[in-house]
């Protein structure tokens, strides 16, 4: 299972052995997560300011949402915001990507790539090559088509026979199945 919401992690179980990749939190990683996606946009904003470029449409939109006039004010938000408050800017980035903004599209494609890379690491750690099923969970992987398609395409390049579970299955139901397995 690969999860990408505010954070990101890939977890696999095969023959009772559990392996994971990612899930290190926002300071050490979380590549492909909502937090990571938003931070890429914020970092670009600082580059535009430092290098004297005209603000992009994405930068203007973020500043407007924040109620700021200049990127110089960005530190007030970044250093006081929660991870969720930062990740809440993903829908704005998605909107810009849908309007054809190349930078926003690239961030979302990179997110899918990073999630695929950590998922493939789990597959490798578990020594799987056949009958691999990957469940997708979290708001980024399930609700952002560009991230999801990038993720699936990168996985299929390495392992074309993977089966993807895209349906929204209750996490509670999954816990129930695991508990029932342990009771046997």
């Amino acid at each position: 299972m690969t999860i990408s919401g505010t954070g990101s992690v890939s977890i696999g179980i095969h023959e009772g052995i559990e392996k994971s990749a990612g899930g290190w939190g926002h300071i050490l990683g979380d590549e492909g997560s909502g937090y990571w996606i938003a931070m890429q946009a914020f970092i670009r904003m600082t580059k535009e300011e430092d290098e004297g470029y005209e603000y992009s449409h994405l930068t203007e939109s973020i500043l407007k949402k924040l109620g700021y006039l200049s990127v110089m004010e960005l530190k007030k938000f970044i250093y006081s915001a929660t991870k969720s408050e930062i990740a809440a800017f993903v829908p704005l980035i998605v909107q810009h990507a849908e309007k054809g903004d190349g930078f926003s599209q690239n961030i979302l494609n990179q997110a899918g790539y990073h999630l695929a890379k950590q998922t493939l690491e789990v597959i490798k750690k578990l020594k799987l090559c056949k009958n691999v099923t990957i469940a997708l969970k979290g708001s980024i992987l399930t609700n952002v088509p560009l991230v999801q398609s990038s993720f699936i395409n990168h996985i299929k390049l390495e392992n074309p026979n993977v089966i993807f579970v895209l349906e929204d299955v209750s996490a509670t139901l999954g816990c129930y199945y695991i508990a029932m397995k342990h009771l046997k």
Side-chain angles (χ1 to χ4, degrees), residues 10-169:
S10 294
I11 303 165
I13 300 172
H14 180 64
E15 296 178 352
I17 297 169
E18 183 177 319
K19 297 291 182 180
S20 66
W24 294 105
H26 72 289
I27 294 175
L28 293 175
D30 270 350
E31 290 87 349
S33 69
Y35 177 87
W36 180 88
I37 291 168
M39 284 304 297
Q40 301 313 297
F42 290 128
I43 290 166
R44 179 180 185 222
M45 291 170 68
T46 66
K47 301 291 184 215
E48 288 175 0
E49 181 67 34
D50 284 348
E51 296 171 16
Y53 292 122
E54 185 176 320
Y55 290 164
S56 65
H57 292 297
L58 178 60
T59 295
E60 293 287 354
S61 295
I62 291 171
L63 289 174
K64 183 177 180 181
K65 183 173 177 173
L66 288 169
Y68 296 162
L69 299 174
S70 165
V71 172
M72 296 301 291
E73 299 175 85
L74 187 59
K75 285 194 283 186
K76 288 187 286 191
F77 171 72
I78 292 295
Y79 292 107
S80 65
T82 65
K83 292 179 284 194
S84 295
E85 289 169 333
I86 289 172
F89 280 82
V90 171
L92 192 59
I93 296 164
V94 171
Q95 287 173 3
H96 279 266
E98 289 171 347
K99 291 178 185 173
D101 178 62
F103 178 78
S104 299
Q105 291 170 343
N106 188 44
I107 292 173
L108 299 176
N109 279 317
Q110 283 182 37
Y113 165 78
H114 287 299
L115 294 168
K117 186 176 177 202
Q118 72 186 25
T119 303
L120 290 166
E121 289 301 322
V122 172
I123 291 169
K124 187 178 357 173
K125 287 178 183 181
L126 289 170
K127 297 177 177 73
L128 298 174
C129 53
K130 294 181 185 175
N131 303 321
V132 178
T133 301
I134 301 170
L136 283 66
K137 292 293 281 179
S139 59
I140 300 301
L141 262 176
T142 59
N143 298 329
V144 182
L146 202 51
V147 175
Q148 187 183 95
S149 63
S150 173
F151 173 78
I152 290 171
N153 291 337
H154 282 97
I155 295 284
K156 285 189 172 201
L157 285 173
E158 295 289 323
N159 194 333
N161 298 318
V162 167
I163 297 168
F164 294 94
V165 178
L166 305 175
E167 299 86 40
D168 189 19
V169 178

